[in-house]
Amino acid sequence: MNAALPKVAQHRGLSATRRMRAGLLLCLVALRCSPLLGGQSGSASPGPLPRPTPHIQANLPPIIVNFKDIAEQAGLTAVNVTGEADKKDYILETTGSGVAIFDYDNDGLMDIFVVNGTTLDGKGPGATSTSHLYHNLGNLRFEDVTARAGLGKIGWGQGVCAADYDNDGYTDLFVTYYGHSVLYHNEGNGTFKDVTESAGLKSNSIRWDTGCSFFDYDLDGKLDLVVTGYIDFDRNKVPAPGSSGSCQWKGMPVMCGPRGLPPGRNLLFHNDGHGKFTDVSAASGIGKPTGCYAFTALSSDFDNDGYPDLYIACDSRPSLLYHNLKNGTFEEIGIASGVALNDAGQEQAGMGVAVADYDEDGYVDIAKTNFSDDVLNLYHNNGDGIFTDQVYESGLGTHSQFLGWGIHFLDIDNDGRKDLLVVNGHVYPEVERGPSNIKYRQPRLLYWNVGGGKFKDISADAGPGITTPWASRGSAVGDLENDGSLEVVINNLNQRPSLLKNYGTKKNWLLVHPIGVECNRDAVGARVYVYVADRRISGEVQTGSSFISQNDPRVHIGLADDTSYRRIEVQWPGGEREVFPGGKANQIVVLKQGTGSSVKAKP
């Protein structure tokens, strides 16, 4: 997880612009890492949408934010078990687990699934440490229905993604594990069934899977599945803490890895229909060895060509951007596109990912969390296949002492601008006994989007749910009360979860729930554009994101002071666009494909 020297990679078949960008970056890498310079270690395309006038506000009124942790009174009380609480001998005990927000019983209320780990010997608290499914009873009260739902598996749970992979109207679960990951089919009666083997997803060997994401890469109307691999981990072959250079941090002996350990491999499974998947990792190019210690995988159409691409955050290696070539294969273009390294050409320890069009210019951007002694990335999509890291220009580069995991673009006050939340926590409990000021349990960070591509750090004034320190990992955002205010669920290492509710400013809102007919039923990959007054506000239906987690699949839109909206345009997977009429604010709108009016793609 430590920052280290970048590796030079070859890139073939790229455009001239991308080749030039790659060359410049590789030259920068070579200069930066020179010992003489003291380098550090460690369908048809719809075309781009018209760019709206930037919605920038000057002299913004003060925002009132007051996040409080209400997990205990809400009923989210089960403690996470990931090895011992204050001693981590193996990297497996440090990475933690994810969270998913989804409606498993179709009652209109979002439920919560919190992934759990265990202990190395499977004893003590590890003997009974299942993941937990919390049923939403309304009014922010939840009931633990894990046993009744058939989700009581014990093991080293890691990440989670949720989607209706067989288009039967019920949301299914895929949970990644160190060991054997599991596909749970939603039976439609409140229970889930392990169908991993019959679906063709059972691994013949032990793997350390981390992130996952459902997406329809070939636009056949069925959701495919990508699974990331972190380390080829064998406890018997891992060196003891402090035994080598990769087992030291700031002079302290710590657990080893990921450097010095063999990296895992990413997998892609094609959904053949009728509940079956085929491993197309090799044929697609996703399974090609990259040296990536992979965490979060998130899909989006980064170049607006109508086909979903894939971004993967890599720990201690260049992160990966797979461009969809529309023929069942992908080309990895991370370095050439500017999203693999930082602006100095260095590798980083990437953990969590958020993707959204934060400046509403028609192209989705990428935010990524990293290790401590580093800052976030805010990769701005320039619309020409190249991204520029705007972390310092945007005001997001002010904290390097925190180690980031979960990350979210979310509109905390419904003003129509996407703010940014970062969830933190160190990996080494030993830092509490060391000479530095870095802490194991760390506060969250909250940045308010003030427009014009700028953010303001409001963490210190955002309430105890933000300022109280935790050793946090996965996190998910969703509207758990259907009242237009977003809540945050956070998986904390060796502690109960956090459930953050904002008791501060809230303006008008809209929740948009697209339902696919020709495309996949969940409309994963659909983009929603809400036109209100003189501006346009966007969102996208996604599965896996944050840190190996999943948010509420509905698109949340802040309408600020407007009490109505003019229209909604949905760009379905593949590029078909449909317009739906306007209406009143402060409601949940369900949009079924084919029931609106078709519109031609704008040039």
Side-chain angles (χ1 to χ4, degrees), residues 134 149 164 166-167 232 298 347 349 357 363 389 476 523 525 532 591 596:
Y134 291 101
D164 181 7
D166 57 351
N167 292 329
D232 185 3
L298 199 159
E347 292 174 347
D357 184 0
Y363 292 89
D389 194 346
V532 54
L591 305 179

Side-chain angles (χ1 to χ4, degrees), residues 237-430:
K237 296 180 181 179
V238 176
S243 61
S244 68
S246 59
C247 311
Q248 300 272 343
W249 189 74
K250 295 185 182 293
M252 292 184 292
V254 296
M255 59 80 185
C256 303
R259 292 196 178 277
L261 302 178
R265 189 172 294 190
N266 303 320
L267 302 175
L268 180 63
F269 297 95
H270 179 260
N271 188 338
D272 301 330
H274 308 291
K276 303 289 185 180
F277 290 82
T278 298
D279 188 342
V280 294
S281 308
S284 66
I286 297 295
K288 181 180 179 180
T290 60
C292 168
Y293 302 109
F295 276 134
T296 309
L298 199 159
S299 173
S300 187
D301 180 5
F302 294 105
D303 57 354
N304 289 353
D305 68 352
Y307 278 72
D309 310 302
L310 187 66
Y311 184 76
I312 298 177
C314 298
D315 185 358
S316 305
R317 289 287 191 268
S319 290
L320 308 172
L321 177 58
Y322 287 101
H323 179 236
N324 192 330
L325 298 180
K326 309 179 185 180
N327 60 2
T329 68
F330 293 81
E331 176 187 25
E332 203 288 296
I333 58 170
I335 289 180
S337 297
V339 294
L341 311 166
N342 66 11
D343 61 356
Q346 293 176 316
E347 292 174 347
Q348 298 172 284
M351 310 293 186
V353 181
V355 169
D357 184 0
Y358 74 89
D359 58 352
E360 297 294 351
D361 67 353
Y363 292 89
V364 293
D365 314 293
I366 302 172
K368 178 169 68 72
T369 54
N370 298 302
F371 203 79
S372 63
D373 295 325
D374 200 354
V375 295
L376 307 171
N377 301 110
L378 182 65
Y379 294 119
H380 179 265
N381 190 336
N382 301 327
D384 58 358
I386 303 298
F387 293 75
T388 304
D389 194 346
Q390 298 283 334
V391 63
Y392 293 110
E393 294 88 341
S394 67
L396 297 175
T398 56
H399 295 286
S400 62
Q401 71 272 38
F402 301 126
L403 199 165
W405 299 89
I407 185 168
H408 304 275
F409 284 112
L410 74 167
D411 188 347
I412 58 173
D413 57 347
N414 292 341
D415 65 355
R417 299 187 299 274
K418 297 172 179 64
D419 312 300
L420 194 70
L421 172 69
V422 182
V423 171
N424 304 305
H426 217 281
V427 294
Y428 307 129
E430 294 84 358

Side-chain angles (χ1 to χ4, degrees), residues 38-107:
Q40 299 178 9
S41 65
S43 83
S45 165
L49 289 165
R51 300 193 180 201
T53 302
H55 185 57
I56 304 170
Q57 293 187 13
N59 302 317
L60 290 167
I63 182 176
I64 300 174
V65 179
N66 185 16
F67 276 104
K68 296 181 180 180
D69 189 343
I70 61 168
E72 289 186 346
Q73 51 265 52
L76 274 62
T77 57
V79 173
N80 170 273
V81 179
T82 305
E84 295 184 41
D86 298 313
K87 185 175 183 292
K88 307 292 184 184
D89 290 334
Y90 296 92
I91 192 170
L92 180 60
E93 301 173 285
T94 69
T95 55
S97 308
V99 182
I101 294 178
F102 70 113
D103 182 5
Y104 81 93
D105 57 350
N106 290 348
D107 66 353

